[in-house]
């Protein structure tokens, strides 16, 4: 939450690791912070100007932070390459000391980092390469109220199930107020009920009715809600690691790193197989989707090609015609270009003339036969001259017709 002391806590664990001669690799992802009490290896402010983003996109403070993170998330591959070079062993420089811890300081608005797409991209990218542990920082003095305590627990529960990563609850500012009451509330339901009843009687939360009448009692709905929430989160508390820390004095930092080592082994044992399974499912889903898109594209291409062939392509000849064309082509190859002239069909006028030329020899031959027959008849005196002349005129008339 805002004001819980996240940046101060990062500065404290940074100095603690330096004292152990194990300097960490630091990342600052808060584009709106004015200054940080540590030297960042990767700083979002080096690549983005928060005020310029607000001015360019006409945004408010939260919108400017969210947009800055979204823009920064587009370069996450470059960030991961840098982190892997600093942490993984390099065969070229085997004696070089590698980084063991990467610390990321997130923006002060929890909603911006946890519920945005850029926050999910950053967390998933880190968890894909390194054992990743979330430290949820709680302002201990402000959590002494049952309603504020329950709000923090609900936030922690939602973050745990949203990120699906191991989490440590860090109760900060224990130099101001000890965190024993919070541990007791998380382990003993009756103690939380007793504190809730006391607040109801005093009207210290939601106690508008009690404050106005002076009779106390508070809000019955709020008390019933908090009781129900505490019962629901009882199982959730059992899987959380609680560490009281003072960022000012450094008290509890050793216990924090012990919890980090425990959660890192838990990540490798329980969380990493789940992450691998989710990654494989996403990859398989992408491949399935890509295969469907490719099949659809190929189907569309086949339909388009078939349509083009049916509309513009030449008609396929039938079997008999194809055989005839093959025979003719073979004949052309054997006989040469003379066949082309023989295969050219005559024009309509030429065909009519040729038919008339063929008809004339037939008529001439018929006339000659009749003339010969008439001559034989005249010699034999079987007909008169008038009949001969009349028959001749008939032949001539029929010829003219």
């Amino acid at each position: 939450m805002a004001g819980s002391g996240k940046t101060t806590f990062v500065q404290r664990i940074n100095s603690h690791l330096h004292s152990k001669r194990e300097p960490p690799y630091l990342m600052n992802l808060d584009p709106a912070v004015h200054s940080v009490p540590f030297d960042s290896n990767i700083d979002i402010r080096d690549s983005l100007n928060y005020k310029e983003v607000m001015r360019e996109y006409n945004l408010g403070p939260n919108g400017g932070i969210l947009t800055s993170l979204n823009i920064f998330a587009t370069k996450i591959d470059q960030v991961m390459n840098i982190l892997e070079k600093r942490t993984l062993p390099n065969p070229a420089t085997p004696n070089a000391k590698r980084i063991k811890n990467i610390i990321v300081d997130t923006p002060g608005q929890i909603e911006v980092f946890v519920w945005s797409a850029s926050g999910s991209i950053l967390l998933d990218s880190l968890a894909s390469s390194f054992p990743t542990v979330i430290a949820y920082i709680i302002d201990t003095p402000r959590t002494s109220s049952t309603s504020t305590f329950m709000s923090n627990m609900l936030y922690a529960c939602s973050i745990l199930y949203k990120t699906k990563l191991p989490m440590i609850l860090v109760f900060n500012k224990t130099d101001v107020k000890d965190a024993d009451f919070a541990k007791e509330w998380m382990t003993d339901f009756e103690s939380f009920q007793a504190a809730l009843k006391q607040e109801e009687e005093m009207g210290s939360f939601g106690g508008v009715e009690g404050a106005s009448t002076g009779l106390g009692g508070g809000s019955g709905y709020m008390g019933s809600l908090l009781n129900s929430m505490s019962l629901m989160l009882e199982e959730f508390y059992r899987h959380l690691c609680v560490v009281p820390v003072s960022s000012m004095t450094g008290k509890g930092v050793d216990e924090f790193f012990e919890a980090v080592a425990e959660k890192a082994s838990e990540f490798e044992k329980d969380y990493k197989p789940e992450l691998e399974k989710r990654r494989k499912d996403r990859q398989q889903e992408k491949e399935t989707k890509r295969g469907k898109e490719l099949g659809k594209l190929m189907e569309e291409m086949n339909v388009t090609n078939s349509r083009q062939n049916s509309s513009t392509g030449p008609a396929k000849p039938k079997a008999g015609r194809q055989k005839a064309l093959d025979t003719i082509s073979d004949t052309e190859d054997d006989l040469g270009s003379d066949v082309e002239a023989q295969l050219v069909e005559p024009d309509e006028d030429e065909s009519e003339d040729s038919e008339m030329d063929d008809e004339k020899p037939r008529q001439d031959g018929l006339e000659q036969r009749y003339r010969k027959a008439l001559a034989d008849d005249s010699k034999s005196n079987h007909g008169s001259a008038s009949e001969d002349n009349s028959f001749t005129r008939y032949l001539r008339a029929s010829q003219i017709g």
Side-chain angles (χ1 to χ4, degrees):
M1 302 289 288
S4 59
K6 296 183 297 299
T7 302
T8 308
F9 174 74
V10 170
Q11 188 272 337
R12 171 55 61 184
I13 59 177
N14 175 43
S15 64
H16 177 81
L17 291 174
H18 274 279
S19 66
K20 299 289 186 180
R21 298 186 180 277
E22 294 181 354
Y25 204 80
L26 290 171
M27 291 177 57
N28 174 45
L29 296 182
D30 191 351
V33 66
H34 181 67
S35 62
V36 290
F38 51 83
D39 295 329
S40 301
N41 299 101
I42 297 177
D43 199 327
I44 190 174
R45 298 176 298 169
D46 295 337
S47 56
L48 290 169
N49 190 324
Y50 166 69
K51 294 183 178 179
E52 289 295 331
V53 172
M54 290 176 59
R55 186 180 300 109
E56 181 177 356
Y57 296 99
N58 194 22
L59 300 170
N62 287 338
I65 294 175
L66 177 60
T67 304
S68 299
L69 275 173
N70 290 338
I71 296 173
F72 184 78
T74 60
K75 306 295 183 181
I76 188 61
D77 54 338
Q78 301 178 13
V79 175
M80 294 305 300
N81 289 334
I82 295 174
L83 295 179
E84 289 175 357
K85 288 181 180 179
R86 297 295 187 274
T87 56
L88 299 179
N90 188 1
T93 57
N95 296 327
K97 192 173 182 179
R98 314 310 298 175
I99 299 297
K100 293 183 179 180
N101 296 282
I102 300 172
I103 303 174
V104 182
D105 189 14
T106 62
Q109 286 76 4
I110 185 173
E111 298 87 353
V112 172
F113 186 77
V114 175
W115 304 114
S116 65
S118 56
S120 299
I121 292 172
L122 293 170
L123 284 176
D124 291 342
S125 300
L126 289 171
S128 64
S129 300
F130 312 105
T132 306
V133 180
I134 296 177
Y136 182 65
I137 316 300
I138 299 174
D139 189 342
T140 306
R142 295 179 59 187
T143 315
S144 57
S145 169
T146 54
S147 58
T148 309
F149 172 82
M150 189 56 60
S151 299
N152 272 286
M153 294 300 104
L154 289 176
Y155 264 120
C157 181
S158 62
I159 292 170
L160 177 65
Y161 287 103
K162 175 66 167 58
T163 60
K164 296 181 176 63
L165 293 172
M167 177 185 291
I168 301 173
L169 294 185
V170 178
F171 282 86
N172 196 16
K173 304 181 183 180
T174 54
D175 55 304
V176 179
K177 184 176 180 59
D178 197 271
D180 290 339
F181 73 95
K183 289 183 177 180
E184 187 178 0
W185 287 354
M186 295 175 68
T187 56
D188 188 357
F189 172 71
E190 293 181 356
S191 64
F192 180 80
Q193 279 189 325
L196 180 60
K197 184 177 181 180
Q198 182 180 1
E199 289 184 1
E200 287 180 338
E201 292 176 352
M202 296 176 59
S204 58
F205 77 92
V208 178
E209 180 183 354
S212 61
T213 60
L215 299 177
S219 171
Y221 172 76
M222 179 63 75
S224 176
L225 176 64
L226 293 180
N227 272 323
S228 301
M229 291 294 102
S230 61
L231 284 173
M232 181 191 70
L233 296 178
E234 186 177 3
E235 185 69 21
F236 169 71
Y237 295 150
R238 297 178 182 177
H239 301 281
L240 288 179
C241 183
V242 180
V243 179
V245 172
S246 173
S247 298
M248 292 297 295
T249 62
K251 181 182 178 181
V253 175
D254 290 326
E255 289 79 2
F256 170 75
F257 279 102
E258 291 176 1
V260 169
E262 180 183 350
K263 290 297 179 180
S265 60
E266 183 180 338
F267 175 89
E268 296 289 345
K269 180 180 177 182
D270 299 330
Y271 288 87
K272 191 173 182 179
E274 180 65 22
L275 291 174
E276 293 292 338
K277 181 178 179 301
R278 287 158 51 192
R279 191 179 300 112
K280 289 180 180 179
D281 292 341
R282 287 197 300 268
Q283 185 67 24
Q284 185 176 2
E285 184 179 356
K286 288 181 180 179
E287 293 178 356
T288 304
K289 185 177 180 181
R290 191 180 297 112
K292 290 182 179 179
E293 292 177 353
L294 181 60
K296 186 177 179 181
L297 178 62
M298 296 299 296
E299 183 179 355
E300 291 177 354
M301 291 177 63
N302 291 334
V303 171
T304 304
N305 292 335
S306 62
R307 288 178 179 175
Q308 291 179 353
N309 293 334
S310 62
S311 60
T312 61
K316 294 183 179 180
K318 296 182 179 179
R321 183 177 177 85
Q322 181 67 34
K323 185 176 180 180
L325 291 177
D326 294 340
T327 306
I328 292 174
S329 62
D330 296 338
T331 307
E332 289 177 356
D333 295 336
D334 296 336
L335 300 180
S337 60
D338 293 339
V339 181
E340 296 181 1
Q342 298 177 6
L343 295 176
V344 174
E345 295 182 358
D347 295 337
E348 187 177 355
D349 297 338
E350 294 177 356
S351 61
E352 292 179 355
D353 295 341
S354 62
E355 290 176 0
M356 292 177 65
D357 293 340
D358 294 339
E359 191 69 24
K360 287 180 180 179
R362 294 181 192 145
Q363 294 178 356
D364 293 340
L366 181 61
E367 185 179 4
Q368 290 177 1
R369 287 196 297 272
Y370 276 112
R371 287 181 182 276
K372 183 179 180 182
L374 290 173
D376 293 336
D377 290 340
S378 61
K379 290 180 181 180
S380 303
N381 296 323
H382 288 289
S384 60
S386 59
E387 291 178 355
D388 295 340
N389 294 333
S390 64
F391 190 74
T392 302
R393 286 195 302 269
Y394 169 76
L395 289 177
R396 291 177 178 174
S398 62
Q399 182 178 358
I400 295 172

